[in-house]
Amino acid sequence: PRLCVVGGGPAGFYTAQHLLKHHDRAQVDIYEKLPVPFGLVRFGVAPDHPEVKNVINTFTQTARSDRCSYYGNVAVGKDVMVGELQQAYHAVVLSYGAEDNRVLGIPGENLAGVYSARAFVGWYNGLPENQHLKPDLSCETALVLGHGNVALDVARILLSPLDLLRKTDITASSLAALACSKVKRVWLVGRRGPLQVAFTIKELREMINLPGARPVLDPADFTGLRNAVKDAPRPRKRLTELMVKTALEKPGEKTVEAATREWGLRFQRSPQEVLPTADGTRARGVRMALTRLEGSGDSAQAVPTGEVEELECGLVLSSIGYRSLPLDPAVPFDPQHGIIPNSSGRVQGAPGLYCSGWVKRGPTGVIITTMNDSFDTAQSVLEDLQAGVLDVSVSREGFGAVGSILRSRGVRPVSFSDWEKIDAAEVARGKAAGKPREKIVDPKEMLQLIGH
């Protein structure tokens, strides 16, 4: 069987890995829009979390298998259509992730100084489309809307000592911008309460222990919470206990003296409007509706009380989630949930078409969640091969057919060994600067480097 995976991020690689491991004759081709592979492992994981990027070693083993080929620099839905892939392969798995962000839908959202956390993360991680972001870091107070791990990531990067960041693979231009940053206070604001935060204890602990920054948590937000989580699942209980301890215990004098920066969590506030400066061009703050919670636990809903408050800030980062986009009019898509409608990864009403990762189940979870989800989709493909649902008696040309389509359209794919040249160049540049790598952020420069 010739199988094709669209998207070279974790979902795509895990899907390919499972197919190759459990079918000893399958040929798997991976198509990726960018010249470089690994998706959010390269462009989403924070630069100061290098251990999370170790999965790249596994993905590299998959790509080097003689039954796997990687074709970067190929935008499916533009350079080649899904229908064309379906004619060339016995099965096509869409694993292209979530390449957009949810919008706040409030007035003032488009003022200067307001960015999506997704674009900000892409900027400091070298995602080509975000290279010209130039976020304005000339204010003292930043507001992050959202209480997830991405919200903590951006707050941590804004407040981290430069010495810590210099040793990471953060891009040279964002490091230079952060070196001139005036931001010394970051508020993380959420619509619901401390019991509904979506970040995990590891990320919170890291934030609490960040050198030179002190947590500012209002004790009133946390009184009586220890009892409320007595019977909660262990992760929620430990996370809440850490917040309670941080809020209610007096910090040591040394910590307070050493801290020149601060961050805090604000709860039960829902953004209503980004307020403009007098000349109407920039953000100067956010008007919040105060909320009360109806219901409890994860299903609690935030309902406006009618009261409002204004928070002053010159930088607003919206971290309310990523969003998948439809790839090709031929593929069914549910715009309300931002997913491809499917059952165990089988795309509804489209035999031979599958999906895995965030475009399958929505943009939630960590890499391990995506791994299990992708194995689940790959299992569906294998079952369909075994049951004869996918007809392999008809031979398919795979890249043979797609390659000539791409040539006729002037598209030159990037192979995995091409990527390894780019990788080696990045590592060499990084070594010169005392970093693990210096990412090349311009696709033109990547292609030049490999002689395209």
Side-chain angles (χ1 to χ4, degrees), residues 347-386:
V347 176
Q348 275 171 20
L353 199 54
Y354 302 80
C355 57
S356 69
W358 283 4
V359 75
K360 167 186 173 186
R361 64 160 202 280
T364 55
V366 288
I367 290 174
I368 192 92
T369 336
T370 293
M371 178 182 85
N372 292 326
D373 169 87
S374 304
F375 288 176
D376 170 62
T377 292
Q379 205 50 47
S380 294
V381 177
L382 295 167
E383 283 166 19
D384 290 355
L385 281 167
Q386 188 136 30

Side-chain angles (χ1 to χ4, degrees), residues 109-120:
E109 178 165 21
N110 298 323
L111 287 169
V114 184
Y115 309 92
S116 75
R118 183 187 187 283
F120 188 72

Side-chain angles (χ1 to χ4, degrees), residues 32-36 39-40 42-44 75 78 96-102 115-135 171 173 322-325 439-444 446:
E32 163 59 47
K33 169 178 83 162
L34 291 168
V36 294
L40 278 188
R42 178 179 165 98
F43 297 118
K78 193 179 90 191
Y96 61 87
E99 45 191 339
D100 197 13
N101 49 275
R102 288 173 53 196
Y115 309 92
S116 75
R118 183 187 187 283
F120 188 72
V121 169
W123 168 71
Y124 64 65
N125 271 336
L127 184 63
E129 68 188 64
N130 299 130
Q131 278 334 284
H132 305 295
L133 194 71
K134 300 207 177 10
T171 64
S173 57
Y322 289 23
R323 195 172 65 121
S324 293
L325 299 171
K439 286 180 188 167
I440 297 169
V441 296
D442 179 3
K444 284 198 191 76
M446 293 173 187

Side-chain angles (χ1 to χ4, degrees), residues 85-106:
L85 292 177
Q86 286 180 284
Q87 286 175 343
Y89 293 92
H90 293 109
V92 175
V93 186
L94 302 171
S95 313
Y96 61 87
E99 45 191 339
D100 197 13
N101 49 275
R102 288 173 53 196
V103 294
L104 291 163
I106 59 172

